Amino acid sequence: MDEAYHIRCYGTAINNGFAEGPNKFLILTEPGNDVTQLQIGFEGPSSPDVKLVTLSNNNVNVTFVPIVGGDYRIHILYKGHHIYASPFKCKIVGDVASNVKKMVCGGATTKGKVGQDNSITLDGRKVGISGGLSARLVGPAMSTLTFLYNEDATITLGYNVTRPGLYKLFLKFQHFSVPGSPFSILCT
């Protein structure tokens, strides 16, 4: 059991992912662990296709594709014992397009300040979206964009512009626009 407790998992897909899309996480093993002793099982509305790839450092890449959304539990065992934090609760989003429409955006979506850090908070917790966003800000000058993934599973998009004017912020999850995008932001 002690060996199993030292094995860890990393990656967002251990806690949330998407139906019909590849979801990935990494199992970090200890030197000397026999990865053939790992077992992975899923409880939930479907049995996903699972692919395991053992890396040269003996860690294991896991890719799984569930066919429907819902709440899942991922059980990972080593020599019959749960690894650290297993089983994992995982929310799988089914209809991505309709779930993106349920995201909530707040903050500097219409007005911003030149030369200052402006922020927009994105909340997709109710539909299991806590990452995977892309952003592009178009306007009179170059700008910097940053994403901060908060402990409460919200996302903060920061932007800083160097010239005043009207900017357009295109914000997407996969190839679906989040509500309000593109945002027209007047920076003064």
Side-chain angles (χ1 to χ4, degrees), residues 35-89:
V35 295
T36 64
Q37 296 295 313
L38 285 169
Q39 296 173 307
I40 298 178
F42 287 79
E43 281 182 66
S46 72
S47 294
D49 290 329
V50 180
K51 181 179 177 186
L52 305 174
V53 176
T54 303
L55 305 174
S56 60
N57 61 4
N58 215 36
N59 292 330
V60 179
N61 270 333
V62 179
T63 303
F64 66 99
V65 182
I67 56 173
V68 296
D71 293 325
Y72 288 76
R73 287 170 53 104
I74 303 173
H75 298 266
I76 303 174
L77 294 97
Y78 181 72
K79 293 185 177 178
H81 297 280
H82 281 278
I83 69 165
Y84 179 80
S86 175
F88 300 90
K89 292 180 182 177

Side-chain angles (χ1 to χ4, degrees), residues 16-182:
N16 55 60
F18 304 95
E20 301 177 18
N23 302 283
K24 299 179 182 187
F25 63 88
L26 180 66
I27 300 174
L28 299 175
T29 63
E30 293 280 306
N33 286 145
D34 178 5
V35 295
T36 64
Q37 296 295 313
L38 285 169
Q39 296 173 307
I40 298 178
F42 287 79
E43 281 182 66
S46 72
S47 294
D49 290 329
V50 180
K51 181 179 177 186
L52 305 174
V53 176
T54 303
L55 305 174
S56 60
N57 61 4
N58 215 36
N59 292 330
V60 179
N61 270 333
V62 179
T63 303
F64 66 99
V65 182
I67 56 173
V68 296
D71 293 325
Y72 288 76
R73 287 170 53 104
I74 303 173
H75 298 266
I76 303 174
L77 294 97
Y78 181 72
K79 293 185 177 178
H81 297 280
H82 281 278
I83 69 165
Y84 179 80
S86 175
F88 300 90
K89 292 180 182 177
C90 183
K91 182 168 186 71
I92 299 295
V93 176
D95 184 348
V96 176
S98 67
N99 282 306
V100 169
K101 291 177 186 175
K102 296 175 186 172
M103 289 189 72
V104 178
C105 302
T109 59
T110 58
K111 294 181 182 177
K113 297 287 184 186
V114 174
Q116 295 182 16
D117 292 329
N118 302 281
S119 64
I120 297 171
T121 301
L122 304 145
D123 189 350
R125 292 176 291 187
K126 290 184 180 178
V127 291
I129 297 174
S130 62
L133 294 162
S134 63
R136 183 170 54 104
L137 188 62
V138 179
M142 294 293 291
S143 59
T144 56
L145 294 171
T146 57
F147 282 105
L148 174 65
Y149 299 94
N150 304 310
E151 287 184 18
D152 66 356
T154 61
I155 303 162
T156 301
L157 169 65
Y159 66 92
N160 192 324
V161 298
T162 56
R163 288 193 197 156
L166 186 62
Y167 290 79
K168 290 272 188 189
L169 174 63
F170 297 87
L171 191 54
K172 294 186 174 191
F173 177 77
Q174 292 186 354
H175 56 276
F176 302 104
S177 294
V178 302
S181 179

